[in-house]
Amino acid sequence: MRFGKIDYLNLLPFEVFIRSYPKPSQFWLFYNKKKSYPARLNKEFLFGRIDAGFVSSITALRARYEKFKPANVGIIAKKRVISVICLSKENGEDYQSATSNALLKVLRLQGRVLIGDRALLEVLKQQTRGRRDYIDMGEKWVQKEHLPFVFGRLCVRKNRAFYTKMIHAFSKRRVKIPQYILQKAESQSGVCKKEILKYLQVLSYKIDNKANFGVERFYRKLRIFRIKPPKRF
């Protein structure tokens, strides 16, 4: 029951859901220890240090070789994403995300990748100054491919029966985030409650047929550009 979760605001609805979902005590104990950024969780998952978790969607390309199952739940941008951006006046990858670094190359963009809550704060800061010196990479993908982009994906290696039920329940449930959790998220991230809720509205979590086509299109582009997914070694 070793579960890893991306420790960003984009999974706040899952955080609320899992608090009330019936689960073994060992799941909850481990869950609170294994929260990190996507690239770190990729390694944890591929090395077998976690049995399931939200990882970069590019990692799911290793499913056939590593013998795990990508689920139909992930972090999906159907129009824009806000929290994955390219700063066009700078250069460099973001060590926290393998998928977003690959997407930069697929989109043929030049600049520095910034993801997660840091990217969201940068976007909000620029908005207050009336600037937009960045490219929303989710939005750019949708403009080019007319398909959603899946940034993270829940993958499962062990205890599949438990996770299959959990995934089904999460994909069906409409989650309302309590004020006390929003308050805590605000104090930890520096993003105000109102902006957190606005941000979460642009995301979805069930990988439907259209989102799945988006995943397959991305994987095809990776093969064309010869971009390799993360490996253990």
Side-chain angles (χ1 to χ4, degrees), residues 19-62:
R19 284 170 180 260
S20 61
Y21 185 78
K23 55 200 172 291
S25 58
Q26 68 177 109
F27 176 97
W28 190 244
L29 286 170
F30 198 87
Y31 176 86
N32 287 316
K33 292 179 181 178
K34 286 294 180 180
K35 295 181 181 181
S36 190
Y37 52 85
R40 174 79 175 272
L41 290 175
N42 294 342
K43 292 181 180 179
E44 297 282 288
F45 185 73
L46 292 173
F47 273 99
R49 295 175 189 137
I50 56 177
D51 303 325
F54 285 92
V55 297
S56 295
S57 61
I58 192 174
T59 303
L61 268 174
R62 300 290 305 170

Side-chain angles (χ1 to χ4, degrees), residues 35-180:
K35 295 181 181 181
S36 190
Y37 52 85
R40 174 79 175 272
L41 290 175
N42 294 342
K43 292 181 180 179
E44 297 282 288
F45 185 73
L46 292 173
F47 273 99
R49 295 175 189 137
I50 56 177
D51 303 325
F54 285 92
V55 297
S56 295
S57 61
I58 192 174
T59 303
L61 268 174
R62 300 290 305 170
R64 183 172 60 179
Y65 308 103
E66 301 286 346
K67 297 181 181 178
F68 62 84
K69 182 176 177 59
N72 65 343
V73 163
I75 302 164
I76 305 144
K78 293 191 173 181
K79 292 183 179 179
R80 58 190 183 126
V81 70
I82 308 175
S83 61
V84 180
I85 61 175
C86 168
L87 298 169
S88 51
K89 293 183 179 179
E90 302 178 33
N91 287 297
E93 297 184 339
D94 192 321
Y95 71 94
Q96 295 193 2
S97 176
T99 293
S100 301
N101 292 334
L103 182 59
L104 183 80
K105 297 173 184 175
V106 165
L107 293 174
R108 299 290 186 94
L109 296 175
Q110 296 292 324
R112 180 167 73 90
V113 177
L114 189 64
I115 74 161
D117 300 351
R118 297 168 303 146
L120 181 57
L121 282 167
E122 176 64 25
V123 169
L124 294 173
K125 183 175 73 174
Q126 290 199 23
Q127 285 179 356
T128 60
R129 297 175 180 176
R131 294 167 47 199
R132 182 165 175 165
D133 297 331
Y134 67 89
I135 296 168
D136 184 312
M137 291 170 64
E139 189 174 50
K140 190 72 173 178
W141 167 267
V142 174
Q143 287 172 356
K144 290 188 71 172
E145 304 297 336
H146 307 289
L147 289 167
F149 191 84
V150 179
F151 284 93
R153 194 164 188 178
L154 203 162
C155 293
V156 179
R157 189 185 297 278
K158 294 181 180 179
N159 305 112
R160 291 188 180 183
F162 168 79
Y163 287 114
T164 298
K165 290 181 181 179
M166 184 193 77
I167 290 162
H168 179 74
F170 177 60
S171 64
K172 293 290 184 181
R173 190 175 300 180
R174 186 181 180 89
V175 177
K176 183 177 181 180
I177 302 171
Q179 283 297 314
Y180 78 94

Side-chain angles (χ1 to χ4, degrees), residues 7-18:
D7 194 20
Y8 293 156
L9 289 170
N10 53 24
L11 279 177
L12 203 55
F14 182 80
E15 181 87 23
V16 174
F17 161 80
I18 204 64

